[in-house]
Amino acid sequence: MKSIAVLCALVAVAFAEDVCYNDVVSSCGSKEVDLKNCNAKYGGAHEVVFELQSYANEHIARSFDYLLMATHFGNYEKNREGFEKLFRKLSDSTWEDSIDLIKYITKRGGMMNFSARKSTQEPASEKTHELYELHALARGLDTQKKLAEGALGIHGEVTRRHEGYHDPEVASYLEEHFMHRQAKSVRDFAGYTSDLQKLLGEKSQTSLSLFLFDEYLQKSL
Ligand SMILES: *[C@@H]1O[C@H](CO)[C@@H](O)[C@H](O)[C@H]1NC(C)=O
């Protein structure tokens, strides 16, 4: 027994590096051990955990904004089912994205923190969700652009090739799961905004234009 203890001590001294194996070796059979290096962390992902957490929280906040906009357009006075559908879908996909981000953070050895906020994020309470159709599309476009730029920011952090930060796996995840879809979404909203603005240019027929555009949204989504 004594010889095993001596051997353990010797092995522990021989491996001073911070790796899981050394934690296991140096614990050497004792019950209460803290295997602090035995986790899924590697590369630069843990350097951007705060950014990823904030990004997930931003998605949750925007998802609720979109949901409020959807219910506003869905009420009996507004009665714009196409706009309701547009913002409802966007709310759902933004919600799914936040779940995906949280799963990704934990996959890379991090933990979700629902309080993490970047200081640049505006508080949601100041916003009003009862908007006219064109204003709502404009806000949708701005928000989608902001979310897309958020992904670009994190991507920039992990592709700097700076020691400890470089992590193409995070970059690739963002590209695959966010960036291509975000580009399409920004393009769609820019198109809707432009179309509706042109339709509303005909002053005598704004009600009809809005009705037709709403119907188009209902059918195309
Ligand atoms: C979560 O984020 C908040 C705000 O950034 C911070 O104050 C808090 O310490 C964080 N909690 C954990 C467990 O990291």
Side-chain angles (χ1 to χ4, degrees):
M1 199 60 210
K2 202 172 189 180
S3 63
I4 290 176
V6 171
L7 187 65
C8 278
L10 283 176
V11 171
V13 169
F15 298 91
E17 217 185 326
D18 283 347
V19 293
C20 180
Y21 179 75
N22 291 347
D23 285 353
V24 173
V25 168
S26 59
S27 75
C28 241
S30 67
K31 290 248 163 53
E32 301 280 321
V33 280
D34 180 20
L35 302 179
K36 60 184 184 331
N37 293 305
C38 298
N39 55 36
K41 287 180 191 162
Y42 72 96
H46 60 279
E47 297 292 347
V48 290
V49 163
F50 175 74
E51 276 77 8
L52 289 170
Q53 290 167 341
S54 306
Y55 199 46
N57 288 326
E58 174 83 6
H59 274 79
I60 293 172
R62 297 297 83 86
S63 173
F64 277 100
D65 284 349
Y66 290 142
L67 191 60
L68 285 170
M69 284 158 91
T71 53
H72 167 64
F73 285 113
N75 73 23
Y76 76 95
E77 281 174 308
K78 267 295 192 186
N79 198 23
R80 297 259 184 250
E81 282 180 49
F83 281 86
E84 182 194 9
K85 198 169 168 189
L86 174 67
F87 285 108
R88 182 59 196 250
K89 278 193 141 187
L90 202 54
S91 174
D92 288 349
S93 69
T94 312
W95 185 256
E96 295 294 328
D97 286 347
S98 69
I99 294 172
D100 203 58
L101 273 166
I102 293 168
K103 283 185 183 163
Y104 183 72
I105 291 168
T106 53
K107 175 177 158 188
R108 293 300 306 268
M111 271 204 316
M112 183 54 192
N113 181 350
F114 288 98
S115 310
R117 292 275 183 292
K118 287 201 127 183
S119 53
T120 50
Q121 279 175 228
E122 51 196 302
S125 58
E126 290 166 19
K127 294 187 166 180
T128 163
H129 304 97
E130 303 189 353
L131 296 167
Y132 293 115
E133 288 78 358
L134 188 56
H135 295 70
L137 290 180
R139 173 155 291 167
L141 177 59
D142 290 344
T143 307
Q144 288 305 100
K145 272 191 193 174
K146 235 182 190 171
L147 288 178
E149 276 162 5
L152 294 182
I154 303 173
H155 192 276
E157 286 290 312
V158 291
T159 46
R160 280 195 297 166
R161 296 218 46 135
H162 201 270
E163 198 179 342
Y165 274 81
H166 187 59
D167 199 321
E169 207 274 327
V170 178
S172 157
Y173 164 75
L174 288 172
E175 286 164 14
E176 246 175 72
H177 291 245
F178 289 85
M179 291 176 166
H180 303 309
R181 210 154 32 81
Q182 282 166 338
K184 184 181 180 307
S185 170
V186 167
R187 162 66 186 82
D188 286 348
F189 264 86
Y192 294 149
T193 313
S194 163
D195 283 350
L196 187 60
Q197 191 223 346
K198 284 197 194 102
L199 283 168
L200 293 177
E202 191 65 59
K203 291 288 177 219
S204 58
Q205 308 195 356
T206 51
S207 301
L208 181 62
S209 301
L210 278 173
F211 178 80
L212 290 175
F213 189 77
D214 186 65
E215 206 164 48
Y216 159 72
L217 284 180
Q218 273 181 60
K219 285 184 183 143
S220 70
L221 292 173

